[in-house]
């Protein structure tokens, strides 16, 4: 990890207007992401995770604060920043293959390189046999995998993934987690992955960002200082998981300020404590 | 559909046959099926029927092509640009409210009663549904897909070519189908009023001469041609939009 301030989010606030009422989706959120780091984000539904990713990817620019990537302020989308959306968002009129190829539409590869990359990535997500299928012929999990392939195929510098494995069965999920981990280890793409699965967050992340809702804030950042490849069932990983779960579940009566169980975390930015698990909306 | 669709026409044919056989109506008003069949055969043999059908079809093809192209352009313009919508939509809506027949007296004064009149009336029939459906199709394209294009740095042209237009195709196709149907029906309307050729003219002429057999032949041919056009568009639609049909069938 060379540059510790590769991707910077500084005091970012994003407000929405919902039925004439102001809704603070993100409240002064700050997070520095190092080059090649794998950051995972967990938090209750509606705490602003997707909002944060859209801001990071440059898809939403109506915020206060500052977001920069390699020192340059993010003012819009870029091919250096990839996005795997929470829903697969495939184009229904294109085959799976053509959907994935859209990720390379504006990249500088030659035609045959593009073809090879698309094939490789379909293979990677286990959809090689469905290259010519249309999206409605896929199951939910297959569509999600096609979306992942489209996000990965262009090899962005930073990849934002919004619950990419949410609709997958346990086995496929574990396999794709390992594939993602391998791609990351091989290519050093900076990864920012949102998930509801704490196990996944600690298994994949260098740091786990714990967010809390209303207003959306970063409550805690838990570093996972464990060597890779990691053992899913190791006791050390279980301890970190417990630590993240505690942070997620902490309420006002259970302040999370105090001795940290896990070493090595960078300045965590926790606002006033709120119940982390609240009913969505 | 299969054969079930043929049941009702078959029943009507039988009813017609019984009605004329029993003499419910005078033969001059309702000629028997066999007689109409004879007339149809004669008209085919003499080439008369094909001549008139050909004239009508050519008018529809030309008028529809112009009307549909203009409607597509206006629909795309209003769909893509709020400003175009602000400027053009009120006028278009008012225009669309006036039935085609209402324009004919004015048009007759402006362009006479020759081919130009027919083309304009037919084109108008195609124009209105094309605009409405193209506009709705473009506005209905999912903003989530457009956002995918933004994340992939699509240019405006790429967004149009890869997302907006393909997304609007189903709706545009609906516009083409309604447009063709409207073109065909307004063709017959304008031929009734001002023409010396075409299927609509056969209707008027047959009525004036009290050749009801000819009137019935013309009516049947008008219906069959319209039906055939709609069917062939249906086929084309299935071919072009394989992804959509299968979705419905699934
Ligand atoms: N376009 C929008 N307009 C209005 N409010 C919005 C909009 N997008 C998000 N919000 C609000 O912002 C808050 C955060 O939404 P966001 O989608 O970021 O949540 P999330 O953490 O991704 O939740 P989930 O885990 O359910 O996906 C929610 O309260 C939501 O209602
Ligand atoms: Mg979300």
């Amino acid at each position: 990890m060379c540059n510790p301030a590769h991707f910077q989010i500084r005091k970012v606030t994003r407000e929405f207007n919902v039925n004439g009422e102001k809704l603070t989706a993100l409240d002064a959120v700050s997070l520095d992401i190092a080059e090649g780091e794998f950051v995972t984000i967990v938090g209750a539904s509606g705490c602003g995770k997707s909002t944060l990713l859209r801001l990071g990817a440059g898809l939403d620019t109506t915020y206060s604060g500052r977001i920069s990537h390699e020192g340059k302020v993010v003012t819009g989308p870029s091919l250096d920043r990839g996005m795997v959306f929470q829903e697969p968002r495939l184009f229904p009129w294109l085959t799976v293959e053509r959907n994935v190829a859209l990720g390379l539409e504006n990249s500088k590869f030659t035609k045959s390189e593009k073809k090879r990359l698309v094939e490789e990535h379909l293979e990677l997500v286990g959809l090689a046999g469905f290259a010519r299928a249309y999206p409605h012929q896929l199951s939910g999990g297959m569509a999600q995998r096609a979306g992942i392939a489209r996000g990965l195929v262009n090899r962005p510098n930073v990849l934002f993934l919004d619950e990419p494995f949410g609709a997958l069965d346990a086995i496929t999920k574990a396999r794709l987690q390992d594939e993602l981990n391998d791609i990351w280890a091989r290519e050093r793409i900076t990864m920012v992955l949102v998930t509801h699965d704490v196990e996944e967050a600690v298994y994949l992340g260098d740091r786990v960002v714990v967010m809390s809702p209303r207003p959306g804030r970063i409550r805690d950042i838990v570093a996972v200082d464990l060597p890779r490849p990691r053992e899913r069932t190791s006791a050390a990983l279980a301890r970190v998981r417990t630590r993240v779960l505690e942070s997620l579940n902490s309420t006002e009566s259970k302040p999370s300020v105090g001795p940290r169980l896990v070493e090595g975390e960078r300045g965590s930015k926790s606002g006033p404590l709120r119940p982390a698990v609240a009913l969505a909306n | 559909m299969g054969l079930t669709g043929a049941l009702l026409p078959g029943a009507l044919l039988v009813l017609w046959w019984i009605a004329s056989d029993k003499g419910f109506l005078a033969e001059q008003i309702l000629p028997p099926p066999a007689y109409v069949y004879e007339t149809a055969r004669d008209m085919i043999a003499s080439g008369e029927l094909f001549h008139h059908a050909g004239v009508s079809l050519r008018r529809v093809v030309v008028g529809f092509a112009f009307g549909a192209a203009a409607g597509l352009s206006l629909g795309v313009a209003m769909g893509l640009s709020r400003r175009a919508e602000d400027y053009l939509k009120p006028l278009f809506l008012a225009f669309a409210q006036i039935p085609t027949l209402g324009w004919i007296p004015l048009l007759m004064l402006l362009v006479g009663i020759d081919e130009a009149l027919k083309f304009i009336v037919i084109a108008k029939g195609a124009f209105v549904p094309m605009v409405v459906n193209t506009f709705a199709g473009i506005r209905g394209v999912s903003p989530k897909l457009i956002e995918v294009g933004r994340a992939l740095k699509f240019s405006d042209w790429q967004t149009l070519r890869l997302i907006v237009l393909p997304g609007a195709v189903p709706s545009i196709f609906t516009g083409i189908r309604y447009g063709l149907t409207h073109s065909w029906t307004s063709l017959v309307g304008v031929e009734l009023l001002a023409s010396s050729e075409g299927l609509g003219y056969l209707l008027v002429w047959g009525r004036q001469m009290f050749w009801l057999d000819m009137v019935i032949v013309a009516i049947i041919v008008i219906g069959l041609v319209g039906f055939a056009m709609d069917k062939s568009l249906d086929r084309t639609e299935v071919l072009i939009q394989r992804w959509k049909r299968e979705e419905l069938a699934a």
Side-chain angles (χ1 to χ4, degrees), chain A residues 54 58-60 77-79 81 83 85 87 89-93 98 102-103 105-106 134 136-137 150, chain B residues 141 143-145 147-155 158 161-163 166-167 242-244 246-247 250:
Chain A
R54 290 187 69 249
L59 290 169
D60 180 359
S78 153
L79 286 180
R81 292 183 292 274
M83 179 80 163
F85 292 95
E87 330 81 44
R89 300 201 188 180
L90 300 176
F91 292 39
W93 55 86
R98 294 274 294 117
L102 281 185
E105 189 70 23
N106 285 329
Y134 286 94
H136 72 268
Q137 297 168 314
R150 182 178 62 195
Chain B
V141 171
K144 292 189 167 184
L145 293 185
E147 193 178 62
V148 171
R150 286 218 295 133
L152 295 171
K153 288 297 267 185
F154 282 7
S155 62
Q158 283 175 319
R161 184 168 57 86
L162 297 170
I163 309 178
R242 251 186 49 192
W243 58 271
K244 193 176 160 231
E246 282 170 9
E247 191 167 30

Side-chain angles (χ1 to χ4, degrees), chain A residues 147-214:
Chain A
I148 295 170
R150 182 178 62 195
L152 269 175
V153 73
N154 185 45
R155 294 307 153 94
N157 178 264
V158 179
L159 181 59
F160 297 95
L161 302 114
D162 201 347
E163 295 182 40
F165 309 135
L168 301 181
D169 65 280
I171 294 168
T172 314
K173 187 174 180 168
R175 196 176 67 72
L176 283 178
Q177 285 168 352
D178 289 336
E179 294 286 5
L180 190 67
N181 190 59
D182 288 351
I183 291 169
W184 171 78
R186 211 166 50 226
E187 320 223 351
R188 307 309 291 175
I189 298 174
T190 307
M191 302 267 188
V192 183
L193 178 141
V194 165
T195 178
H196 278 292
D197 179 348
V198 175
E199 217 145 324
E200 173 172 293
V202 296
Y203 180 67
L204 289 173
D206 289 320
R207 287 186 294 157
V208 180
V209 174
V210 180
M211 292 186 64
S212 57
R214 263 160 287 159

Side-chain angles (χ1 to χ4, degrees), chain B residues 146-221:
Chain B
I146 292 182
E147 193 178 62
V148 171
R150 286 218 295 133
L152 295 171
K153 288 297 267 185
F154 282 7
S155 62
D156 286 349
W157 169 236
Q158 283 175 319
T159 308
L160 186 66
R161 184 168 57 86
L162 297 170
I163 309 178
V164 176
L165 288 183
V169 160
S171 192
I172 292 175
F173 228 97
T174 309
I176 292 179
R177 284 182 72 166
Y178 280 113
L180 197 55
T181 306
H182 280 184
S183 283
W184 187 239
T185 47
S186 39
L187 162 87
V188 174
V190 74
E191 279 180 348
L192 283 172
L193 285 171
S195 184
S196 54
E197 285 175 305
L199 293 170
Y201 163 74
L202 276 188
L203 286 179
V204 186
W205 190 40
R207 184 187 60 83
Q208 282 168 354
M209 309 306 281
F210 238 82
W211 294 336
L212 269 295
D213 48 336
M214 186 195 258
V215 171
I216 292 174
V217 170
I219 288 175
I220 292 174
V221 171

